[in-house]
Amino acid sequence: SYELTQPPSVSVSPGQTARITCSGDALTKKYAYWYQQKSGQAPVVVIYEDMKRASGIPERFSGSTSGAVATLTISGAQVEDEADYYCQSADSSGNLRVFGGGTKLTVL
Amino acid sequence: QLQLQESGPRLVKPAETLSLTCAISGGSIRSSTLYWGWIRQPPGKGLEWIGTVYYSGGTYSSPSLKSRLTLSVDTPNNQFYMKLSSVTAADTAMYYCAGAGYCTGASCGFDPWGQGILVTVSS
């Protein structure tokens, strides 16, 4: 299918591990990309090609996939990690892009 | 460093056409990346992919917008455009342009992004 599904919200205390999932059939064949969007700012890539960390992103951010589910993990989440997170992939042709609905991460 | 900047009218009347420009600096529309894209975000909502355009002129559009959308490139002026016709209040959103980034072959994310432009559809 041409949809990606994310939980609307995830909440953790500082120092805990936050996991945000993204599910969709497209992920069995296409890479997942993860974006962080802080309030009033444009999105920024944090993870690309399922598990590679983008330039300048702290090591506590990691990505993984299993079947049709991609997961963004923030190990030891910090208050500054509070943001909306979006996954993105492509359809089976690779030509159409799609974003997940977004997950609001609260760290407090 | 590649930078993108959106411009265009911030207020569009219902049924009219929304026209936006994305100016590229610090790089070439021909060679800096594989393709260029448009993404929008209604107030308080999530990101929606609008479409992508290649410097050769090839385009791909969201199925939900395809009938109203025109994407194009302006190579001499190093910019690209989107036009969305017959707009309604549902098209009110922050509109972002972006370049293809972190590519392996034809698989890319979107990086960098412009700062976005808020377009309101209202009479």
Side-chain angles (χ1 to χ4, degrees):
Chain A
S1 67
Y2 184 54
E3 294 180 353
L4 297 175
T5 301
Q6 298 181 235
S9 63
V10 168
S11 182
V12 298
S13 299
Q16 289 189 327
T17 296
R19 293 182 180 85
I20 300 171
T21 58
C22 172
S23 61
D25 291 344
L27 298 174
T28 60
K29 295 187 175 70
K30 300 299 181 185
Y31 286 126
Y33 298 80
W34 289 95
Y35 301 82
Q36 176 192 69
Q37 185 181 34
K38 294 186 176 179
S39 181
Q41 298 181 19
V44 172
V45 176
V46 292
I47 296 291
Y48 66 102
E49 293 176 15
D50 295 342
M51 61 180 62
K52 298 178 181 178
R53 225 172 8 257
S55 177
I57 301 302
E59 290 186 5
R60 61 181 179 272
F61 287 84
S62 63
S64 61
T65 61
S66 179
V69 180
T71 302
L72 172 68
T73 300
I74 308 172
S75 303
Q78 305 296 309
V79 173
E80 60 262 33
D81 298 331
E82 271 205 357
D84 293 322
Y85 291 86
Y86 295 89
C87 59
Q88 179 248 309
S89 189
D91 74 332
S92 57
S93 72
N95 294 322
L96 305 184
R97 271 65 186 173
V98 60
F99 285 94
T103 299
K104 182 176 182 60
L105 174 66
T106 302
V107 183
L108 56 78
Chain B
Q1 183 179 358
L2 193 61
Q3 292 185 316
L4 307 179
Q5 179 68 61
E6 305 87 350
S7 63
R10 293 173 186 271
L11 180 63
V12 181
K13 289 182 168 54
E16 294 190 344
T17 296
L18 183 163
S19 298
L20 295 176
T21 299
C22 182
I24 301 163
S25 60
S28 167
I29 195 169
R30 285 176 176 266
S31 59
S32 291
T33 190
L34 187 60
Y35 56 74
W36 308 92
W38 290 96
I39 300 103
R40 71 179 182 180
Q41 184 172 34
K45 296 188 178 180
L47 301 172
E48 178 186 12
W49 174 71
I50 295 172
T52 55
V53 59
Y54 293 72
Y55 83 86
S56 61
T59 65
Y60 295 98
S61 303
S62 169
S64 65
L65 298 172
K66 189 172 184 177
S67 64
R68 300 192 289 133
L69 185 66
T70 302
L71 303 175
S72 60
V73 296
D74 180 357
T75 304
N77 289 306
N78 217 36
Q79 53 194 23
F80 58 102
Y81 311 109
M82 67 159 282
K83 293 189 177 186
L84 186 65
S85 64
S86 304
V87 297
T88 70
D91 295 309
T92 294
M94 182 73 80
Y95 285 79
Y96 296 99
C97 62
Y102 295 101
C103 297
T104 295
S107 180
C108 308
F110 288 106
D111 179 79
W113 294 59
Q115 65 183 25
I117 181 170
L118 179 60
V119 179
T120 301
V121 178
S122 175
S123 55

